[in-house]
Amino acid sequence: MAKQNIADQFVDILARAGVKRLYGVVGDSLNPIVDAVRRNSALDWVHVRHEETAAFAAGAEAQITGKLTACAGSCGPGNLHLINGLYDAHRSMAPVLALASHIPSGEIGLGYFQETHPDRLFSECSHYSELISNPKQMPRLLQTAIQNAVGRSGVSVVSLPGDIADQPAPERSAQTALVTARPTVRPGDAEIERLAAMIDEAEKVTLFCGSGTRGAHAEVMEFAGKIKAPVGHALRGKEWIQYDNPYDVGMSGLLGYGAAYEATHECDLLILLGTDFPYNAFLPDDVLIAQIDVRPENLGRRSRLDLAVWGDVKETLRCLVPRVREKEDRRFLDKMLRKHADALEGVVKAYTRRVDKHIPIHPEYVASVLDEIAADDAVFTVDTGMCNVWAARYISPNGRRRIIGSFSHGSMANALPMAIGAQFTDRGRQIVSMSGDGGFSMLMGDFLTLVQYDLPVKVVLFNNSSLGMVELEMMVAGLPAYGTSAKNPDFAAVAEACGAYGVRVEKPKQLAGALKDAFRHKGPALVDIVTDPNALSIPPRISREMVTGFALSASKIVLDGGVGRMVQMARSNLRNVPRP
């Protein structure tokens, strides 16, 4: 049996940690690793066209599976291309191991061709970023990197010079047991008792939920029902908490809708559940606030706290619910449910007015039809910008669907690369990339990756020939739109030239049929939909405070457009409200 080199050992450890794929672009210093992957049947090399795509794809796969994923870039410019996708994965708490291959070890620090210092460059977007400068550091350094990525839910980066990757592995290297799953964490009894006392003393309690409520839907519903609390959510909490929720009052934040803002400001006690909601302008400063989060660094960094509870949301609620008294008075809950339904009715009329005849097509209409036609277990990857608005307002979660985007990092061009990673996890699952024309064209080269691997991703392209969200930001700031328009090709023709299915839609009556045909197609498909660039109108009253960083009160700004099936859900919840 041939002796292992460092590259072989590196790939073996990744396979032992459960990694199935290594996304990247081959080249020079990375060649020993790629060759090791070729000879190892446990891993596949996924050849993307841009390393940024590799990092986004790995991050999306990690978010879908909850397991460690990996990406790689060659020395210098190659691994630098990873950085944007790694920032997104890190801020999305996705466990990703990135290999940044490096120049020859003897040349480091001497201004060699393509020299960078990746162990320094990636330090801000990772929990762990270290250089292997000696073969004896393997496998302990890689194992440490894996433990950081999995245990702390984020990115680890290992920098490896190509010449060291080609050297023999140390004799009889110890195989340390790898941690590949996170534990549940519960608070101490004292914190649970203090929180229970606060809840019992408060007359009006509101729950505001983030992505930390993943897997805790049943516990949150039981808790809300017992204390008669309206339940709002942040964008990243939508897919986990909105469905089958008789206490739903909508979403707060820049894309907010419904009565979530009012519910969080008119209560006596606000409980933040698993959310690192960044927009403190939307949070109250005159009510009691408690926060439950498994990441202690999140506690209190967005708002003043009266009680910080360090623990997993699901486990904490399991301990808490039996200790709180059931509330009999549901007047506050019912008031917020009515406000929520009324607020949705108030904005939906703009969407319903002759929308099926409007040319160019209303993007709201596209999102609404997409929501109806897409599979019940579809994964939607969402471009930053106006596609975020449409996904937030129209894609209906049901406990089986997933909605993934660059919701914390806010990068353009994320939807298509994320769709690649999502589709690799299950070729039989429907993956829909909700792409804007700006984001799609930025990393359009990786549409070829869909074709190369025959990935059946469906790209639904909202093509308004502009950077719509940027235009809106400029207009709110009182600036004329400038530098935001684009001269686009017929993207459907481009898709067909690449060897995929493509169709262009310019009239509303063509939309449903075009989407159904694309979804029935067995391979990659692109639906190029010409949408109205003026779909959003500016509110008639704009305050000075609204301009800076879009830090707006949800009660002061309304994005013109409807909210799809959420109106029906809100009205359905009202049927359970007792009549006086």
Side-chain angles (χ1 to χ4, degrees), residues 539-563:
R541 295 177 60 191
I542 303 175
S543 69
R544 182 180 300 275
E545 290 75 18
M546 290 180 183
V547 173
T548 305
F550 246 46
L552 318 173
S553 163
S555 64
K556 301 286 185 171
I557 182 169
V558 176
L559 296 175
D560 188 7
V563 283

Side-chain angles (χ1 to χ4, degrees), residues 85-120:
L86 292 183
Y87 260 98
D88 182 81
H90 193 56
R91 299 194 68 186
S92 298
M93 295 175 286
V96 174
L97 188 287
L99 169 61
S101 70
H102 208 348
I103 63 173
S105 57
E107 300 292 343
I108 295 174
L110 299 174
Y112 191 72
F113 175 65
Q114 293 189 323
E115 180 173 9
T116 59
H117 292 88
D119 52 316
R120 304 178 200 169

Side-chain angles (χ1 to χ4, degrees), residues 284-518:
D285 55 13
D286 57 353
V287 305
L288 291 176
I289 302 178
Q291 183 177 2
I292 301 172
D293 206 294
V294 74
R295 298 173 72 105
E297 67 271 22
N298 290 352
L299 294 169
R301 73 175 179 180
R302 306 300 185 193
S303 66
R304 172 193 54 76
L305 285 188
D306 296 281
L307 180 63
V309 181
W310 181 12
D312 171 79
V313 170
K314 184 172 185 173
E315 196 65 28
T316 301
L317 292 184
R318 281 179 175 175
C319 298
L320 176 66
V321 170
R323 306 193 193 196
V324 298
R325 292 196 302 268
E326 183 162 4
K327 296 186 185 296
E328 301 297 331
D329 186 350
R330 55 174 292 152
R331 285 177 296 178
F332 176 62
L333 170 60
D334 295 343
K335 176 184 175 183
M336 290 301 118
L337 290 175
R338 291 190 183 97
K339 279 194 172 186
H340 178 59
D342 290 344
L344 297 190
E345 294 278 13
V347 297
V348 79
K349 61 186 179 183
Y351 158 72
T352 56
R353 191 185 307 121
R354 294 179 57 82
V355 69
D356 59 339
K357 296 180 174 61
H358 185 86
I359 299 175
I361 302 170
H362 273 313
E364 303 98 321
Y365 179 65
V366 177
S368 180
V369 173
L370 174 61
D371 181 53
E372 294 286 347
I373 291 175
D376 287 341
D377 66 343
V379 178
F380 299 87
T381 61
V382 183
D383 258 344
T384 297
M386 295 315 305
C387 285
N388 265 344
V389 179
W390 315 136
R393 293 182 167 226
Y394 290 93
I395 300 304
S396 303
N398 58 12
R400 299 172 61 200
R401 286 178 166 180
R402 294 297 312 274
I403 306 171
I404 297 174
S406 187
F407 299 140
S408 295
H409 185 49
S411 173
M412 283 183 67
N414 62 285
L416 173 63
M418 286 180 166
I420 291 171
Q423 192 72 82
F424 267 114
T425 68
D426 185 350
R427 284 180 172 268
R429 191 172 186 181
Q430 187 180 88
I431 311 296
V432 180
S433 172
M434 293 179 65
S435 297
D437 57 302
F440 179 77
S441 58
M442 186 178 284
L443 284 177
M444 188 166 58
D446 269 293
F447 189 79
L448 297 171
T449 302
L450 302 184
V451 177
Q452 178 161 334
Y453 290 96
D454 195 28
L455 294 174
V457 169
K458 313 307 177 191
V459 178
V460 178
L461 187 61
F462 291 73
N463 181 4
N464 64 1
S465 297
S466 71
L467 302 178
M469 183 62 81
V470 179
E471 282 195 0
L472 183 62
E473 291 167 350
M474 287 180 169
M475 294 169 72
V476 168
L479 303 172
Y482 183 75
T484 57
S485 61
K487 185 176 181 180
N488 288 330
D490 180 334
F491 286 109
V494 172
E496 291 190 325
C498 293
Y501 177 90
V503 60
R504 186 174 173 91
V505 178
E506 297 180 348
K507 297 179 180 179
K509 65 181 181 181
Q510 303 168 334
L511 179 61
L515 288 173
K516 289 176 182 177
D517 289 345

